[in-house]
Amino acid sequence: MAAGLDAARIVALPHDAFYISNFISEEEEVWLLQKVASAPLPRWTQLSHRRLQTWPSALTANNTLIAEPLPEWLVSPIIKPRFGRLGIFNNAPDQAPNHVLVNEYLPGQGIMPHEDGAAYHPLVATVSLGAPIVLDIYEKNIHDATSVQDVGTNDRNKPRFRILQERRSLLITTGAMYTDFLHGIAETTRDENINQTGICNWDLLREKECFREGYYQRETRVSLTYRDVLKVAKMGNTMKFLGGRR
């Protein structure tokens, strides 16, 4: 990871993670939210606990991405110039993200503890829009858990670390923080224990005063999750597998 990120390191975590509170401006946040909202309805996939968009497309059954460019609104102002300037993906195979998930979390919605898996280079960069949310980090090896199905014990229900992601912020996890831990978002309408002892990136927050009561009443939050898929196939090489045009 680039040396320029040292000031953004979350030192309370045992491995590499970085947090930048003012990653984009308020005007850019509004513009990005408008782009998310204006996407055609078929772009949304409705899950039981949230809905999402996948750009440029979902992975195939064997975790392969069909080579297509990302839409320009997901490239600028995020990848260009900011990711490039920080050197975030310099060590990734493509030296830039090629896949983005857009997740929408309404109050009360979340995602079970999970890992992103081996389909991606072990680095994820997430931009938060609209509202803050708490990301819970869990020990992966308590019961040798490797998937969502392994979650459910009392130990697993207690996160080891909690990261507060403010609106307009960037969170980067890489290396062992990517491979050796699970992460999830609680299904709640209110995040509690928002203070110096309960939040591991407290010293890096932009708006501590907003959480002076020690809790946050959830609002709608949108995340842009950037990753580099390792297996990429050109369209011409996948036509037989797909059975025709997409």
Side-chain angles (χ1 to χ4, degrees):
M1 190 62 63
L5 281 172
D6 281 347
R9 186 182 299 275
I10 304 176
V11 296
L13 293 176
H15 303 289
D16 283 352
F18 306 86
Y19 181 80
I20 300 175
S21 62
N22 276 309
F23 185 67
I24 60 173
S25 68
E26 293 189 16
E27 293 77 15
E28 288 167 336
E29 178 189 40
V30 169
W31 181 77
L32 286 165
L33 286 170
Q34 289 173 343
K35 287 293 186 180
V36 170
S38 64
L41 190 58
R43 270 291 176 182
W44 287 102
T45 299
Q46 184 67 55
L47 304 180
S48 58
H49 299 285
R50 70 191 191 284
R51 64 175 186 162
L52 60 84
Q53 298 173 21
T54 308
W55 296 92
S57 63
L59 304 189
T60 67
N62 63 344
N63 287 331
T64 298
L65 178 68
I66 300 166
E68 289 184 69
L70 290 168
E72 184 59 29
W73 65 271
L74 287 172
V75 175
S76 176
I78 305 298
I79 300 174
K80 297 178 181 179
R82 289 179 171 88
F83 281 3
R85 188 182 299 142
L86 291 169
I88 293 171
F89 282 85
N90 280 2
N91 294 325
D94 294 299
Q95 297 188 316
N98 57 17
H99 193 253
V100 181
L101 284 184
V102 179
N103 284 287
E104 178 190 71
Y105 295 94
L106 303 179
Q109 294 182 335
I111 184 170
M112 292 284 284
H114 65 284
E115 63 179 332
D116 288 338
Y120 308 95
H121 177 71
L123 185 154
V124 58
T126 302
V127 179
S128 289
L129 308 172
I133 210 162
V134 171
L135 183 73
D136 296 322
I137 307 295
Y138 300 81
E139 292 276 15
K140 180 178 172 181
N141 59 0
I142 292 177
H143 300 291
D144 294 323
T146 57
S147 69
V148 173
Q149 286 73 22
D150 296 314
V151 176
T153 67
N154 289 333
D155 287 337
R156 186 54 42 83
N157 289 333
K158 296 179 180 179
R160 181 176 175 189
F161 304 103
R162 299 168 72 235
I163 300 171
L164 179 61
Q165 296 176 262
E166 298 167 287
R167 48 183 285 265
R168 302 194 289 111
S169 69
L170 171 70
L171 174 66
I172 305 165
T173 54
T174 186
M177 282 306 303
Y178 180 99
T179 57
D180 297 350
F181 291 85
L182 306 178
H183 57 278
I185 294 172
E187 293 182 353
T188 182
T189 58
R190 178 163 144 159
D191 285 312
E192 304 276 0
N193 196 25
I194 308 298
N195 52 48
Q196 188 169 5
T197 58
I199 299 298
C200 68
N201 62 321
W202 183 260
D203 59 319
L204 296 173
L205 296 182
R206 178 183 71 247
E207 298 177 330
K208 298 184 183 72
E209 182 63 20
C210 293
F211 310 103
R212 62 183 179 278
E213 301 297 330
Y215 68 89
Y216 170 70
Q217 204 72 33
R218 288 258 186 101
E219 300 175 50
T220 299
R221 179 252 189 173
V222 172
S223 63
L224 311 179
T225 300
Y226 288 79
R227 292 176 290 200
D228 186 13
V229 179
L230 297 176
K231 293 169 64 176
V232 180
K234 293 183 178 180
M235 178 66 78
N237 296 332
T238 57
M239 291 299 287
K240 290 183 179 180
F241 174 79
L242 294 172
R245 291 176 181 252
R246 287 193 309 113

Coordinates of all heavy atoms in Angstrom, one line a residue, residues 170-231:
L170 N -14.0 6.9 2.8 CA -13.4 5.7 2.1 C -12.8 4.8 3.2 O -12.0 5.2 4.0 CB -12.3 6.1 1.2 CG -11.5 5.0 0.5 CD1 -12.3 4.2 -0.5 CD2 -10.2 5.5 -0.2
L171 N -13.1 3.5 3.1 CA -12.5 2.5 3.9 C -11.8 1.5 3.0 O -12.4 0.9 2.1 CB -13.6 1.7 4.8 CG -13.1 0.5 5.6 CD1 -12.2 1.0 6.7 CD2 -14.3 -0.2 6.2
I172 N -10.6 1.2 3.4 CA -9.8 0.2 2.6 C -9.4 -0.9 3.6 O -8.9 -0.7 4.6 CB -8.5 0.8 2.0 CG1 -8.8 2.1 1.2 CG2 -7.7 -0.2 1.2 CD1 -7.6 2.9 0.9
T173 N -9.6 -2.2 3.2 CA -9.1 -3.3 3.9 C -8.3 -4.2 2.9 O -8.7 -4.4 1.8 CB -10.2 -4.1 4.6 OG1 -11.2 -4.5 3.6 CG2 -10.9 -3.3 5.7
T174 N -7.2 -4.7 3.4 CA -6.4 -5.5 2.5 C -5.6 -6.5 3.3 O -5.6 -6.5 4.5 CB -5.4 -4.5 1.8 OG1 -4.7 -5.2 0.8 CG2 -4.4 -3.8 2.7
G175 N -4.9 -7.4 2.6 CA -4.0 -8.4 3.2 C -4.8 -9.2 4.2 O -5.9 -9.7 3.9
A176 N -4.3 -9.4 5.4 CA -4.9 -10.3 6.4 C -6.2 -9.7 6.9 O -7.1 -10.5 7.3 CB -3.9 -10.4 7.6
M177 N -6.4 -8.4 6.9 CA -7.8 -7.9 7.2 C -8.8 -8.4 6.2 O -10.0 -8.5 6.6 CB -7.8 -6.4 7.3 CG -7.2 -5.8 8.6 SD -7.8 -6.4 10.1 CE -9.6 -6.1 9.9
Y178 N -8.4 -8.7 5.0 CA -9.3 -9.2 4.0 C -9.5 -10.7 4.1 O -10.6 -11.2 4.0 CB -8.8 -8.8 2.6 CG -9.6 -9.3 1.5 CD1 -10.5 -8.4 0.8 CD2 -9.5 -10.6 1.0 CE1 -11.3 -8.8 -0.2 CE2 -10.3 -11.0 -0.1 CZ -11.2 -10.2 -0.7 OH -12.0 -10.6 -1.7
T179 N -8.4 -11.4 4.3 CA -8.4 -12.9 4.3 C -8.8 -13.5 5.6 O -9.3 -14.7 5.6 CB -7.1 -13.4 3.8 OG1 -6.0 -13.0 4.7 CG2 -6.8 -12.9 2.3
D180 N -8.4 -12.9 6.7 CA -8.5 -13.6 8.0 C -9.7 -13.2 8.9 O -9.8 -13.7 10.0 CB -7.2 -13.4 8.8 CG -6.0 -14.0 8.1 OD1 -6.2 -14.7 7.1 OD2 -4.9 -13.7 8.5
F181 N -10.5 -12.3 8.4 CA -11.6 -11.8 9.2 C -12.9 -11.8 8.4 O -12.9 -11.7 7.1 CB -11.4 -10.4 9.7 CG -10.3 -10.3 10.7 CD1 -9.0 -10.2 10.4 CD2 -10.6 -10.3 12.1 CE1 -8.0 -10.1 11.3 CE2 -9.6 -10.2 13.0 CZ -8.3 -10.1 12.7
L182 N -14.0 -11.9 9.1 CA -15.4 -11.7 8.4 C -15.8 -10.3 8.7 O -15.4 -9.7 9.7 CB -16.4 -12.7 9.0 CG -16.0 -14.2 8.9 CD1 -17.1 -15.1 9.6 CD2 -15.7 -14.6 7.5
H183 N -16.7 -9.8 7.9 CA -17.3 -8.5 8.2 C -18.8 -8.5 7.9 O -19.3 -9.3 7.0 CB -16.6 -7.4 7.3 CG -16.7 -7.7 5.8 ND1 -15.8 -8.5 5.2 CD2 -17.6 -7.2 4.9 CE1 -16.1 -8.6 3.9 NE2 -17.2 -7.8 3.7
G184 N -19.6 -7.7 8.6 CA -21.0 -7.7 8.4 C -21.6 -6.4 9.0 O -20.9 -5.6 9.6
I185 N -22.9 -6.2 8.7 CA -23.6 -5.0 9.2 C -24.8 -5.5 9.9 O -25.6 -6.3 9.4 CB -24.0 -4.1 8.0 CG1 -22.7 -3.5 7.3 CG2 -24.9 -3.0 8.4 CD1 -23.0 -2.7 6.1
A186 N -25.0 -5.0 11.1 CA -26.1 -5.5 11.9 C -27.5 -5.0 11.4 O -27.5 -3.9 10.9 CB -26.0 -5.0 13.4
E187 N -28.5 -5.8 11.5 CA -29.8 -5.4 11.1 C -30.5 -4.7 12.2 O -31.1 -5.3 13.1 CB -30.6 -6.7 10.7 CG -30.1 -7.3 9.4 CD -30.9 -8.5 9.0 OE1 -31.8 -8.9 9.8 OE2 -30.7 -9.1 7.9
T188 N -30.3 -3.4 12.3 CA -30.8 -2.6 13.3 C -31.2 -1.2 12.8 O -30.8 -0.8 11.7 CB -29.7 -2.4 14.5 OG1 -30.3 -1.7 15.5 CG2 -28.5 -1.7 13.9
T189 N -32.0 -0.5 13.5 CA -32.4 0.8 13.2 C -31.5 1.9 13.9 O -31.7 3.1 13.7 CB -33.9 1.1 13.4 OG1 -34.1 0.9 14.8 CG2 -34.7 0.2 12.6
R190 N -30.7 1.4 14.8 CA -29.9 2.3 15.7 C -28.6 1.6 16.0 O -28.5 0.5 16.6 CB -30.7 2.6 16.9 CG -30.0 3.5 17.9 CD -31.0 4.1 18.9 NE -30.5 4.2 20.2 CZ -31.0 5.0 21.1 NH1 -32.1 5.8 20.8 NH2 -30.5 5.1 22.3
D191 N -27.5 2.3 15.7 CA -26.2 1.8 16.0 C -25.8 2.4 17.4 O -25.8 3.6 17.6 CB -25.1 2.3 15.0 CG -25.2 1.4 13.7 OD1 -25.2 0.2 13.8 OD2 -25.2 2.0 12.6
E192 N -25.5 1.5 18.3 CA -25.2 1.9 19.7 C -23.7 1.9 20.0 O -22.9 1.4 19.2 CB -25.9 1.0 20.7 CG -27.4 0.9 20.5 CD -28.1 2.0 21.2 OE1 -27.5 2.8 21.9 OE2 -29.4 2.0 21.1
N193 N -23.3 2.3 21.2 CA -21.9 2.3 21.6 C -21.0 3.0 20.6 O -19.9 2.5 20.3 CB -21.4 0.9 21.9 CG -20.2 0.8 22.7 OD1 -19.9 1.7 23.5 ND2 -19.4 -0.3 22.5
I194 N -21.4 4.2 20.2 CA -20.6 5.0 19.3 C -19.8 5.9 20.1 O -20.2 7.0 20.4 CB -21.5 5.7 18.3 CG1 -22.5 4.8 17.6 CG2 -20.7 6.5 17.2 CD1 -21.9 3.7 16.7
N195 N -18.6 5.5 20.4 CA -17.7 6.3 21.2 C -16.3 5.8 21.0 O -16.0 4.9 20.2 CB -18.1 6.2 22.7 CG -18.3 4.8 23.2 OD1 -17.4 4.0 22.9 ND2 -19.4 4.5 23.8
Q196 N -15.4 6.4 21.8 CA -13.9 6.1 21.6 C -13.6 4.7 21.9 O -12.7 4.1 21.3 CB -13.1 7.1 22.5 CG -11.6 7.0 22.3 CD -10.9 8.1 23.0 OE1 -11.5 8.9 23.8 NE2 -9.6 8.2 22.8
T197 N -14.3 4.1 22.9 CA -14.0 2.7 23.2 C -14.7 1.7 22.3 O -14.2 0.6 22.1 CB -14.3 2.4 24.7 OG1 -15.7 2.6 24.9 CG2 -13.5 3.2 25.6
G198 N -15.8 2.1 21.7 CA -16.6 1.2 20.9 C -16.3 1.2 19.4 O -16.7 0.3 18.7
I199 N -15.6 2.2 18.9 CA -15.3 2.4 17.5 C -13.8 2.4 17.3 O -13.1 3.3 17.9 CB -15.9 3.7 17.0 CG1 -17.4 3.6 17.1 CG2 -15.5 3.9 15.5 CD1 -18.1 2.5 16.3
C200 N -13.2 1.5 16.5 CA -11.7 1.4 16.4 C -11.1 2.5 15.6 O -9.9 2.8 15.7 CB -11.3 0.0 15.9 SG -11.8 -0.3 14.2
N201 N -11.9 3.2 14.7 CA -11.3 4.3 13.9 C -11.8 5.7 14.5 O -11.8 6.6 13.7 CB -11.7 4.1 12.5 CG -13.2 4.2 12.2 OD1 -14.0 3.7 13.0 ND2 -13.6 4.8 11.1
W202 N -12.1 5.7 15.8 CA -12.6 7.0 16.3 C -11.7 8.2 16.1 O -12.2 9.3 15.8 CB -12.8 6.7 17.8 CG -13.4 7.9 18.5 CD1 -12.8 8.9 19.3 CD2 -14.8 8.3 18.6 NE1 -13.7 9.8 19.8 CE2 -15.0 9.4 19.4 CE3 -16.0 7.7 18.0 CZ2 -16.2 10.1 19.6 CZ3 -17.2 8.3 18.2 CH2 -17.3 9.5 19.0
D203 N -10.4 8.0 16.2 CA -9.5 9.1 16.1 C -9.4 9.6 14.7 O -9.0 10.8 14.4 CB -8.1 8.7 16.5 CG -7.5 7.5 15.7 OD1 -8.3 6.6 15.4 OD2 -6.3 7.6 15.3
L204 N -10.0 8.9 13.7 CA -9.9 9.3 12.3 C -11.2 9.9 11.8 O -11.3 10.3 10.6 CB -9.5 8.1 11.4 CG -8.1 7.5 11.6 CD1 -8.0 6.3 10.8 CD2 -7.1 8.5 11.2
L205 N -12.3 10.0 12.7 CA -13.6 10.4 12.3 C -13.6 11.9 12.0 O -12.8 12.7 12.6 CB -14.6 10.1 13.3 CG -14.9 8.6 13.6 CD1 -16.0 8.5 14.6 CD2 -15.3 7.9 12.3
R206 N -14.4 12.3 11.1 CA -14.6 13.8 10.7 C -15.5 14.5 11.6 O -15.3 15.7 12.0 CB -15.1 13.8 9.3 CG -15.3 15.2 8.7 CD -15.9 15.2 7.3 NE -17.2 14.8 7.3 CZ -17.6 13.6 6.7 NH1 -16.8 12.8 6.1 NH2 -18.9 13.3 6.7
E207 N -16.6 13.8 12.0 CA -17.7 14.5 12.7 C -18.1 13.8 14.1 O -19.2 13.3 14.3 CB -19.0 14.5 11.8 CG -18.7 15.3 10.6 CD -19.9 15.3 9.6 OE1 -20.7 14.3 9.6 OE2 -20.1 16.3 8.9
K208 N -17.1 13.7 15.0 CA -17.3 13.1 16.3 C -18.5 13.7 17.0 O -19.3 13.0 17.7 CB -16.1 13.2 17.1 CG -14.9 12.4 16.6 CD -13.7 12.5 17.6 CE -12.5 11.9 17.1 NZ -11.8 12.7 16.0
E209 N -18.7 15.0 16.8 CA -19.8 15.7 17.5 C -21.2 15.2 17.2 O -22.1 15.2 18.0 CB -19.7 17.2 17.2 CG -20.7 18.1 17.9 CD -20.5 18.1 19.4 OE1 -19.5 17.7 19.9 OE2 -21.5 18.5 20.1
C210 N -21.3 14.6 16.0 CA -22.6 14.0 15.6 C -23.0 12.8 16.4 O -24.2 12.5 16.4 CB -22.5 13.6 14.1 SG -22.4 15.0 13.0
F211 N -22.0 12.2 17.1 CA -22.2 11.0 17.8 C -22.1 11.2 19.3 O -21.8 10.3 20.1 CB -21.3 9.9 17.3 CG -21.3 9.8 15.8 CD1 -20.3 10.3 15.1 CD2 -22.4 9.2 15.2 CE1 -20.3 10.2 13.7 CE2 -22.4 9.1 13.8 CZ -21.4 9.6 13.0
R212 N -22.2 12.5 19.8 CA -22.0 12.8 21.2 C -22.9 12.1 22.1 O -22.6 11.9 23.3 CB -22.0 14.3 21.4 CG -23.4 14.9 21.1 CD -23.3 16.4 21.3 NE -24.6 17.1 21.0 CZ -25.0 17.4 19.8 NH1 -24.3 17.1 18.7 NH2 -26.2 18.0 19.6
E213 N -24.1 11.6 21.6 CA -25.1 10.9 22.5 C -24.7 9.4 22.6 O -25.4 8.7 23.3 CB -26.5 11.1 21.9 CG -27.0 12.5 21.8 CD -27.1 13.2 23.2 OE1 -27.3 12.4 24.2 OE2 -26.9 14.4 23.3
G214 N -23.8 9.0 21.8 CA -23.3 7.6 21.9 C -24.1 6.6 21.0 O -23.9 5.4 21.1
Y215 N -25.0 7.1 20.1 CA -25.7 6.3 19.2 C -26.0 7.0 17.9 O -25.9 8.3 17.9 CB -27.0 5.8 19.9 CG -28.0 6.9 20.1 CD1 -29.0 7.2 19.1 CD2 -28.1 7.6 21.3 CE1 -29.9 8.2 19.2 CE2 -29.1 8.6 21.4 CZ -30.0 8.9 20.4 OH -30.9 9.9 20.6
Y216 N -26.4 6.3 16.9 CA -26.8 6.9 15.7 C -28.1 6.2 15.2 O -28.1 5.0 15.0 CB -25.7 6.7 14.6 CG -26.1 7.1 13.3 CD1 -26.3 8.5 13.0 CD2 -26.3 6.2 12.3 CE1 -26.8 8.8 11.7 CE2 -26.8 6.5 11.0 CZ -27.0 7.9 10.7 OH -27.5 8.3 9.5
Q217 N -29.1 7.0 14.9 CA -30.3 6.5 14.3 C -30.1 6.3 12.8 O -29.9 7.3 12.1 CB -31.5 7.5 14.6 CG -32.8 6.9 14.6 CD -33.1 6.0 15.8 OE1 -32.6 6.3 16.9 NE2 -33.8 4.9 15.6
R218 N -30.2 5.1 12.4 CA -29.9 4.8 11.0 C -30.8 5.6 10.0 O -32.0 5.8 10.2 CB -30.1 3.3 10.7 CG -29.0 2.4 11.3 CD -28.0 2.0 10.3 NE -27.1 1.0 11.0 CZ -27.2 -0.3 10.8 NH1 -28.1 -0.8 10.0 NH2 -26.3 -1.1 11.3
E219 N -30.1 6.0 8.9 CA -30.8 6.5 7.7 C -30.3 5.7 6.5 O -29.5 4.8 6.6 CB -30.5 8.0 7.5 CG -30.9 8.9 8.7 CD -30.4 10.3 8.5 OE1 -30.7 10.9 7.4 OE2 -29.8 10.8 9.4
T220 N -30.9 6.0 5.3 CA -30.5 5.2 4.1 C -29.0 5.4 3.8 O -28.6 6.6 3.6 CB -31.4 5.5 2.9 OG1 -32.7 5.2 3.3 CG2 -31.0 4.7 1.7
R221 N -28.3 4.4 3.6 CA -26.9 4.5 3.3 C -26.6 3.7 2.0 O -27.2 2.6 1.8 CB -26.0 3.9 4.4 CG -24.5 3.9 4.2 CD -24.0 2.5 3.9 NE -22.5 2.5 3.9 CZ -21.8 1.4 3.8 NH1 -22.4 0.2 3.9 NH2 -20.5 1.5 3.8
V222 N -25.8 4.2 1.1 CA -25.4 3.6 -0.1 C -23.9 3.4 -0.1 O -23.2 4.3 0.3 CB -25.9 4.4 -1.3 CG1 -25.3 3.8 -2.6 CG2 -27.4 4.4 -1.4
S223 N -23.4 2.2 -0.5 CA -22.0 2.0 -0.5 C -21.6 1.6 -2.0 O -22.3 0.9 -2.7 CB -21.6 0.9 0.4 OG -22.2 -0.4 0.1
L224 N -20.4 2.1 -2.3 CA -19.8 1.7 -3.6 C -18.5 0.9 -3.2 O -17.6 1.4 -2.7 CB -19.3 3.0 -4.4 CG -20.4 4.1 -4.6 CD1 -19.8 5.3 -5.3 CD2 -21.6 3.6 -5.3
T225 N -18.6 -0.4 -3.6 CA -17.5 -1.3 -3.2 C -16.7 -1.7 -4.4 O -17.2 -2.4 -5.3 CB -18.1 -2.6 -2.5 OG1 -18.8 -2.2 -1.4 CG2 -17.0 -3.5 -2.1
Y226 N -15.5 -1.3 -4.4 CA -14.5 -1.4 -5.5 C -13.6 -2.6 -5.3 O -13.0 -2.7 -4.2 CB -13.7 -0.2 -5.8 CG -14.5 1.0 -6.3 CD1 -15.3 1.8 -5.5 CD2 -14.4 1.3 -7.7 CE1 -16.0 2.9 -6.0 CE2 -15.1 2.4 -8.2 CZ -15.9 3.2 -7.4 OH -16.6 4.2 -7.9
R227 N -13.5 -3.5 -6.3 CA -12.6 -4.7 -6.1 C -12.0 -5.0 -7.5 O -12.5 -4.6 -8.5 CB -13.4 -5.9 -5.6 CG -13.8 -5.7 -4.1 CD -14.6 -6.9 -3.6 NE -15.9 -6.9 -4.2 CZ -16.9 -7.6 -3.7 NH1 -16.8 -8.2 -2.5 NH2 -18.1 -7.6 -4.3
D228 N -11.0 -5.9 -7.5 CA -10.4 -6.3 -8.7 C -10.6 -7.8 -8.8 O -10.1 -8.6 -8.1 CB -8.9 -6.0 -8.7 CG -8.2 -6.4 -10.0 OD1 -8.9 -6.6 -11.0 OD2 -6.9 -6.4 -10.0
V229 N -11.5 -8.2 -9.8 CA -11.8 -9.6 -10.0 C -10.5 -10.2 -10.7 O -10.0 -9.7 -11.7 CB -13.0 -9.8 -10.9 CG1 -13.3 -11.3 -11.2 CG2 -14.2 -9.2 -10.3
L230 N -10.1 -11.4 -10.3 CA -8.9 -12.0 -10.8 C -9.0 -12.7 -12.1 O -8.2 -12.6 -13.0 CB -8.4 -13.0 -9.7 CG -8.0 -12.5 -8.4 CD1 -7.6 -13.6 -7.4 CD2 -6.8 -11.5 -8.5
K231 N -10.2 -13.3 -12.4 CA -10.4 -14.0 -13.6 C -11.3 -13.2 -14.5 O -12.5 -12.9 -14.2 CB -11.1 -15.4 -13.4 CG -10.2 -16.3 -12.6 CD -10.9 -17.6 -12.2 CE -11.5 -18.4 -13.3 NZ -12.1 -19.6 -12.9

